[in-house]
Amino acid sequence: MCQVHPDYNESSGLVVDGSIRIAADGNPVLIGTECSECGFIVFPSRSFCRSCLSDNVADVKLARTGQLETYTVAHTGQEGIEPPYAFGFVNLENVQIYSLLTEWKERSLEVGDPVELVLEKIRTDSETGEPLFGHMFRPMEEEQ
């Protein structure tokens, strides 16, 4: 889960914990790391390759859309997250990531569904009362 930095400003494109940026079009973009030695891609971004341990890595923007690989609905909650909530694995071109899912109650989820990245409030910080935002994926609208 990514928390928005206290100095977060949507118009600045400020990095959110190094793994989310706001693109020029106002949409969130996930930032991963691609290894120049072995080509391994990982999310969130890291200073070295998790596969071959090389430090010859670079940030790479990940796709905003993907496919739901698997998911579950939790009926007991983590602290600060009201159940039920859904989470699962999403395939984005060359990387698979774990993520909370949103708008799953409005549209039924199916393995293989196309999903898109959104930046939404995950919970409220218990110490400061400030909202904490992070990446989530939601089912994509069906084309008519």
Side-chain angles (χ1 to χ4, degrees):
M1 180 170 11
C2 299
Q3 297 179 359
V4 171
H5 187 276
D7 298 328
Y8 175 71
N9 177 337
E10 283 189 29
S11 64
S12 73
L14 182 69
V15 174
V16 181
D17 277 358
S19 60
I20 303 174
R21 294 190 182 134
I22 305 301
D25 65 5
N27 291 310
V29 176
L30 296 179
I31 304 299
T33 299
E34 182 172 16
C35 179
S36 298
E37 302 295 324
C38 71
F40 186 74
I41 298 174
V42 65
F43 174 82
S45 59
R46 303 202 187 306
S47 60
F48 65 94
C49 178
R50 189 175 82 184
S51 179
C52 72
L53 303 180
S54 169
D55 61 359
N56 189 7
V57 296
D59 285 350
V60 62
K61 291 181 182 179
L62 302 179
R64 292 182 184 165
T65 60
Q67 186 176 40
L68 186 61
E69 179 70 19
T70 188
Y71 73 95
T72 192
V73 176
H75 293 278
T76 58
Q78 297 183 46
E79 183 179 336
I81 301 178
E82 188 68 31
Y85 58 92
F87 57 95
F89 285 95
V90 174
N91 289 328
L92 301 174
E93 293 178 359
N94 299 330
V95 66
Q96 184 180 80
I97 68 170
Y98 171 82
S99 180
L100 287 169
L101 304 170
T102 189
E103 298 182 27
W104 59 273
K105 290 180 185 177
E106 296 83 0
R107 306 176 203 153
S108 63
L109 288 177
E110 301 261 345
V111 170
D113 279 351
V115 292
E116 61 185 341
L117 175 68
V118 293
L119 182 64
E120 290 195 7
K121 177 184 171 187
I122 293 178
R123 64 182 176 90
T124 301
D125 187 299
S126 59
E127 293 179 17
T128 66
E130 295 292 319
L132 299 176
F133 292 82
H135 73 277
M136 292 187 190
F137 284 86
R138 68 178 173 207
M140 292 177 67
E141 296 281 340
E142 290 186 31
E143 293 183 25
Q144 303 277 329

